[in-house]
Amino acid sequence: MSESQGSEGTTQPLPVLEKEAGPEPLDQSASAADYEPPQVLDGEGGRERRFWSARRIPAAITALVLLFLAGVFLYDIASVRAERPPMAWRRELAHQLAERPLDDVWVLVGAGIAAALGLWLLVLAATPGLRRVLPMRRTHTDVRAGLHRDLAALVLRDRAMEISGVQSVRVRMSRAKADVRAVSHFRDLDDVRADLDATLADAIRGLGLSRPPSLSVRVRRLGRKG
């Protein structure tokens, strides 16, 4: 009822609580075949680009060095403009540059160091970095995901340890290859290797990587002591 009889014969409406409309509950009777997985959006023919590093430490070091050198030279120029003698180190540097020939050992060493530093900065600027982060397949256009190589190796190691006959496993993960070394203490080595190949191949597909690495499996028997 939405109305009640008052003490004086008047009717007063009772408060009514309305439930906000929300999403309809899932039909538990629906079969798993009716579920459609999200569409995978692969870029560049199914290969995602690598993640770029921010390069904060090299950028900070370069900025601090350039700031220090610019400040020192600016102070010396201002000192000369104020009719003060230039700093001794600048006079010595100008003298050495004027007196030493271009084929001098120290000139060549300094030029080599400067060229190496410049090449290092160019390599940092032109390469993505973050080699330990493996790009994953994209399922949404505005979301990019990556998986750390150590975590991927841990997943493969856990799956390999589930195989009967495997005593220990060592996994080395790179961008292009998953190197698995297993030790078996019983069962035939060929059977263990076949199970590892099938299980780890399925595990690599389950990682959802944009560039699935190739799988290399080696199984050996632990040698007897003594």
Side-chain angles (χ1 to χ4, degrees):
M1 296 179 60
S2 61
E3 296 183 355
S4 64
Q5 186 73 25
S7 59
E8 298 180 357
T10 60
T11 58
Q12 298 178 354
L14 293 178
V16 178
L17 298 179
E18 296 182 357
K19 183 178 180 180
E20 296 183 358
E24 296 182 358
L26 297 177
D27 186 3
Q28 300 295 335
S29 62
S31 61
D34 297 334
Y35 172 74
E36 293 185 1
Q39 184 180 3
V40 177
L41 303 177
D42 290 336
E44 296 185 355
R47 293 187 175 184
E48 288 291 335
R49 295 181 178 179
R50 290 171 53 192
F51 291 88
W52 280 76
S53 174
R55 312 287 192 188
R56 293 184 177 89
I57 296 179
I61 294 176
T62 303
L64 290 176
V65 171
L66 293 178
L67 180 63
F68 174 77
L69 294 177
V72 171
F73 276 103
L74 182 61
Y75 175 82
D76 189 55
I77 292 174
S79 178
V80 172
R81 291 291 184 178
E83 298 181 355
R84 294 182 180 179
M87 294 183 177
W89 66 267
R90 191 161 73 89
R91 293 197 304 267
E92 182 64 22
L93 178 62
H95 175 74
Q96 293 293 336
L97 292 177
E99 295 293 333
R100 289 182 179 273
L102 295 179
D103 58 351
D104 185 77
V105 176
W106 290 107
V107 174
L108 296 177
V109 170
I113 294 176
L117 290 176
L119 181 61
W120 178 60
L121 293 177
L122 289 176
V123 170
L124 291 181
T127 55
L130 293 181
R131 298 177 60 87
R132 304 190 68 84
V133 178
L134 304 176
M136 302 179 67
R137 290 193 300 268
R138 183 175 296 192
T139 58
H140 300 279
T141 56
D142 54 348
V143 177
R144 292 192 64 197
L147 181 64
H148 202 279
R149 288 194 312 190
D150 292 343
L151 297 179
L154 183 60
V155 171
L156 297 184
R157 178 186 176 277
D158 291 343
R159 291 294 301 274
M161 290 299 297
E162 297 175 358
I163 303 299
S164 176
V166 175
Q167 181 179 9
S168 63
V169 180
R170 184 181 62 182
V171 180
R172 291 183 180 179
M173 194 79 174
S174 65
R175 287 188 299 149
K177 185 177 181 181
D179 192 6
V180 180
R181 300 291 181 266
V183 176
S184 176
H185 57 297
F186 69 92
R187 293 185 66 196
D188 185 73
L189 295 183
D190 292 335
D191 295 340
V192 176
R193 185 181 298 107
D195 290 345
L196 285 173
D197 287 335
T199 301
L200 296 182
D202 180 70
I204 289 177
R205 288 192 298 269
L207 293 177
L209 299 178
S210 174
R211 303 179 183 181
S214 61
L215 180 62
S216 174
V217 179
R218 294 183 182 179
V219 184
R220 64 183 179 88
R221 189 82 69 190
L222 189 63
R224 295 181 179 179
K225 297 182 179 179

